[in-house]
Amino acid sequence: MLPILQLGPLALQVPGLVLLAGLWFGLSLVERAGLRRQLPADALNGLVLAMLVTGLLGARLAYVVRFASVYWQDPLGIIALNFSTLALPEGVLLGLAAGLVYGQRRGLPLWPTLDALAPGLACLGVALGLSHLASGDAFGAPTDLPWALDLWGARRHPSQLYEIVAASGILFASWRMQAGQRPAGTTFLATVALMALARLLLEAIRGDSLIVLGTLRQAQLVSLLALQLALAGLFLRERNAARRLISTDQVGSDPESPT
Amino acid sequence: MQSSGTTLNRLMAGPQRWLVTMAVALVLGASWIWQSAVPASAVSGGLIPSPRQGFLAPDLVLPDLEGGTIDLSELRGQVVIVNFWASWCPPCRAEMPALERTQEAHAGDGLVVLAVNATNQDSLPAVISFIEEMGLTLPIALDQSGEVGRRYQVRALPTTFFIDRQGVIQEVIVGGPVSESTLLSTVQSLLGEGS
């Protein structure tokens, strides 16, 4: 674990740096995937930027609203950013909304754009695993396995390494899927399904799960729901593509249809 | 046999295969969730002392400036901010007035702000001079050997730990200066949880 890299008077937060590097590399993958679909690189970059900036500002403002009385007394405190003072769920929702608005304004087609974003999402998954390895977050449950890590007062599953391996596999699969001829949206939905499946499986050996309904791990319930939605999406995308193909064939085989 | 094979082939061809996958994933996924269910106490680090969020705050017994002793375990039942600092560290100096005001604002609600000076990297006269200059009244503990700093894995100054009434670390902020509003909002959350 290397949460802080001390360079003279500078204390660099390694997990944050790893995430930034992941974002940069992910954006370059998104640009390349966008080129295959004739999507303009500047629009894709702008889309990601709009989502990130709106998400960050939204998360901060939502937190400020939650503690309005404190920030009313100290308005300058609003710009003193700290990761612990962000309302993440609200930030994610606002970031997604900003992405939808920006995409519509720039005329980006929804499903091909999501397909182009898929390898970037998978790349962020790898970076997140690496940042967890650096910080010691997302740690595993205690175990006697020979490859266990000494961490936070116990021998534990190296859950961060499992996470990196799974995310790397998903990134590889997502990138390979860019090459094939598939209905628009399936690369994105398959990537989401694989990420949800990985979380569903790996959460079982985590030592920091949030428990709900007595004994169930919240992340597994959310992952199973995400997996089902992604699979339902794959069904609908393929069914619609098949219907369009059939109707095109019928029009093509009809001698009276206009050409 | 041929009929069942044909049915399976039909199900696994085309878009229908995703419906089959959904059903299989639902059954297997629900079974996996059920298999990996555990009570909350099994995944909480709350009983293991370790200097990170979700774990019990490690022991901290240190002398103070008046010749007494400060023992963190005696503060159980109160929300505690443990701030590691040194007088030569500019962000530590910058955030100290905010820590003092936070202590003043919430002392009656069950908050203790404990300023642990990294005395092994500082000098006692400089510490005393700084306290007098700032007019600090919050308790100052002296980590003369640096042992407590090592136990809390302090890699940069300042580092601030927010500990709840059960003695569990709920937040760690490395670096600073931490703004007064961040201190107050975090403290209000912790005071609200236990009340």
Side-chain angles (χ1 to χ4, degrees):
Chain A
M1 310 296 148
L2 184 65
I4 307 285
L5 184 63
Q6 194 76 41
L7 292 178
L10 277 180
L12 298 176
Q13 306 262 355
V14 177
L17 289 178
V18 169
L19 281 176
L20 274 180
L23 185 66
W24 174 78
F25 189 62
L27 261 178
S28 68
L29 292 180
V30 168
E31 275 185 26
R32 288 172 65 183
L35 278 177
R36 290 178 187 222
R37 294 175 167 78
Q38 283 87 47
L39 297 172
D42 67 319
L44 285 174
N45 278 324
L47 175 73
V48 175
L49 192 67
M51 289 171 75
L52 282 176
V53 171
T54 311
L56 191 66
L57 288 177
R60 183 62 178 151
L61 286 177
Y63 185 88
V64 169
V65 168
R66 197 182 294 166
F67 294 98
S69 60
V70 169
Y71 287 97
W72 182 253
Q73 304 288 329
D74 177 26
L76 281 179
I78 294 172
I79 55 172
L81 197 58
N82 185 290
F83 192 74
S84 65
T85 54
L86 295 174
L88 289 179
E90 290 91 335
V92 169
L93 285 177
L94 287 166
L96 289 175
L100 274 175
V101 171
Y102 183 91
Q104 278 195 334
R105 290 203 167 179
R106 293 295 305 262
L108 287 169
L110 178 66
W111 291 109
T113 303
L114 289 175
D115 282 340
L117 290 175
L121 191 65
C123 184
L124 266 186
V126 179
L128 193 64
L130 288 168
S131 81
H132 285 156
L133 187 64
S135 66
D137 285 330
F139 53 85
T143 179
D144 294 327
L145 288 169
W147 59 84
L149 286 177
D150 267 320
L151 185 62
W152 313 126
R155 303 259 311 151
R156 297 178 180 279
H157 276 286
S159 53
Q160 301 93 344
L161 294 177
Y162 303 158
E163 187 183 352
I164 293 166
V165 170
S168 302
I170 294 167
L171 174 59
F172 178 74
S174 181
W175 189 248
R176 288 294 300 269
M177 279 187 279
Q178 297 288 332
Q181 289 289 325
R182 294 179 179 81
T186 50
T187 300
F188 171 76
L189 290 166
T191 303
V192 171
L194 286 172
M195 292 177 89
L197 179 65
R199 186 67 193 269
L200 175 66
L201 295 175
L202 293 180
E203 187 69 20
I205 49 87
R206 284 274 288 266
D208 62 342
S209 299
L210 183 62
I211 302 295
V212 293
L213 304 174
T215 58
L216 303 180
R217 297 171 195 256
Q218 187 188 51
Q220 284 188 317
L221 296 173
V222 174
S223 300
L224 184 58
L225 179 65
L227 177 59
Q228 291 290 307
L229 290 174
L231 291 173
L234 282 167
F235 166 70
L236 292 172
R237 296 305 301 161
E238 281 203 7
R239 191 190 63 176
N240 291 349
R243 282 182 179 170
R244 271 198 300 275
L245 198 64
I246 290 166
S247 64
T248 310
D249 284 349
Q250 281 171 348
V251 170
S253 61
D254 183 355
E256 291 184 11
S257 67
T259 54
Chain B
M1 281 298 283
Q2 196 178 5
S3 166
S4 63
T6 311
T7 308
L8 187 65
N9 285 343
R10 194 158 49 82
L11 278 174
M12 294 313 289
Q16 289 85 349
R17 71 183 189 280
W18 295 115
L19 293 179
V20 177
T21 311
M22 269 179 83
V24 172
L26 184 63
V27 173
L28 293 181
S31 309
W32 181 248
I33 290 172
W34 190 254
Q35 280 289 316
S36 49
V38 285
S41 57
V43 290
S44 165
L47 296 176
I48 303 172
S50 197
R52 69 171 289 109
Q53 190 179 340
F55 287 78
L56 199 63
D59 282 345
L60 189 162
V61 183
L62 287 171
D64 64 16
L65 276 172
E66 283 77 39
T69 301
I70 294 174
D71 184 348
L72 182 64
S73 65
E74 289 177 1
L75 302 175
R76 190 70 62 83
Q78 302 188 73
V79 171
V80 183
I81 297 177
V82 177
N83 173 258
F84 286 86
W85 68 284
S87 65
W88 48 261
C89 145
C92 306
R93 297 174 71 94
E95 72 185 11
M96 203 55 91
L99 285 163
E100 175 79 16
R101 285 194 294 272
T102 304
Q103 160 80 33
E104 283 169 9
H106 286 290
D109 305 325
L111 171 73
V112 176
V113 179
L114 182 55
V116 178
N117 175 256
T119 319
N120 60 323
Q121 308 173 38
D122 211 336
S123 79
L124 209 48
V127 172
I128 293 167
S129 162
F130 174 69
I131 291 166
E132 286 172 354
E133 177 193 332
M134 292 277 173
L136 299 178
T137 60
L138 47 83
I140 308 283
L142 304 172
D143 186 14
Q144 288 161 329
S145 65
E147 201 249 323
V148 169
R150 282 191 291 279
R151 197 180 301 153
Y152 273 76
Q153 297 178 12
V154 174
R155 293 182 172 89
L157 292 174
T159 296
T160 308
F161 294 83
F162 295 82
I163 302 167
D164 69 14
R165 294 181 195 272
Q166 286 73 45
V168 176
I169 296 170
Q170 293 297 341
E171 191 64 57
V172 182
I173 297 179
V174 178
V178 181
S179 74
E180 190 168 350
S181 39
T182 297
L183 289 168
L184 285 171
S185 59
T186 310
V187 162
Q188 283 182 10
S189 292
L190 293 177
L191 288 171
E193 276 173 17
S195 59

